[in-house]
Amino acid sequence: MSGEQQAGTPVELVYRLTVEDFREALGARSKASAAGRRNSRLLMAAFALAAVATALSLANEGTVDPPLVAMLVILPLVLLGVPRLQARQFHRLAADKGEFRATVESSGLTVRNEHSSSTHTWPAAPRYVETPNLFVLLSGDRNASCLTILPKRGLAGPAEAGRLRVTLDHGGAGSGAGVQPAVQ
C-alpha cells in the first residue's frame, strides 16, 4: 500500500492512559516547545550558578551559606520532581474516564471515552512528537499548550505505528494543514 493509500485508511487505538504516558508526553512537549526549552535552560543555569557560588564560597571562606545549600537541593528536586507530579495530576483527571478509543484519519482525530467524545481537525494539532512509546500531538501555538496522547500500545499491532505515522504526516491532505513533526 502506498503512503497516500495508507494515509486514507483510519487508524484505531484503544488504550487507558497511565502516569508514565503523561510523564513521557509532558517531557516531549517540553522539548518541542519554546517555553519548555527555556524553562529547562533557566533551571539548569540556576543550578550551575548555585554550584559555582558554593565552590567559590568554600574556596574563599571554607563555609557555605544555607541558601546555597538549599538551592543545590531544591533545584534538582524541581527539575526531576515537577514533571512527575504534573503527570500524576493529569493521570488523576483522566483515570475516571476509563478506556479511550481514538480514530486517526486524513480529516482529523476523534477521541472517545466513557464520558465524552471530541473531534479535532489537523489545524488544532498541526505538530507531533514521536517518542519510544507514544505519538504526542501538539497544538500550533508557541508553547504547545494543548496535547493529545496516543500510546503505541493502543494500536492493533506493530505495523499500525507506521500507518499512524503516515496518516499524521499526510494529515489534512488537500487542506494544506498537514501535521508536521515538531522540531526537537
Side-chain angles (χ1 to χ4, degrees), residues 26-165:
L26 290 169
R29 181 183 131 217
S30 179
K31 290 177 185 173
S33 71
R37 290 188 302 269
R38 183 177 52 248
N39 288 344
S40 293
R41 282 190 219 121
L42 286 173
L43 284 171
M44 293 297 284
F47 181 77
L49 287 173
V52 168
T54 300
L56 290 173
S57 181
L58 277 172
N60 291 335
E61 302 167 16
T63 63
V64 179
D65 294 331
L68 289 176
V69 173
M71 285 181 67
L72 288 175
V73 171
I74 291 171
L75 288 172
L77 290 176
V78 168
L79 278 169
L80 299 173
V82 168
R84 284 180 168 72
L85 290 173
Q86 286 177 325
R88 289 172 55 120
Q89 289 173 333
F90 280 120
H91 180 257
R92 279 190 211 114
L93 294 171
D96 71 336
K97 295 183 178 34
E99 185 176 79
F100 287 80
R101 294 181 174 276
T103 304
V104 183
E105 52 195 331
S106 61
S107 61
L109 165 76
T110 300
V111 180
R112 295 174 188 83
N113 60 51
E114 293 176 13
H115 302 289
S116 64
S117 174
S118 62
T119 300
H120 305 280
T121 58
W122 293 125
R127 304 182 294 154
Y128 76 93
V129 177
E130 183 176 355
T131 69
N133 301 306
L134 309 170
F135 285 93
V136 183
L137 280 63
L138 303 168
S139 60
D141 60 291
R142 236 173 78 99
N143 296 325
S145 58
C146 297
L147 57 86
T148 302
I149 302 170
L150 301 173
K152 292 178 182 178
R153 69 175 180 284
L155 295 163
E160 293 293 289
R163 286 188 54 233
L164 178 55
R165 193 176 300 108

Side-chain angles (χ1 to χ4, degrees), residues 16-27:
R16 287 183 184 272
L17 291 169
T18 66
V19 173
E20 183 58 27
D21 291 337
F22 283 105
R23 191 203 59 73
E24 193 171 329
L26 290 169

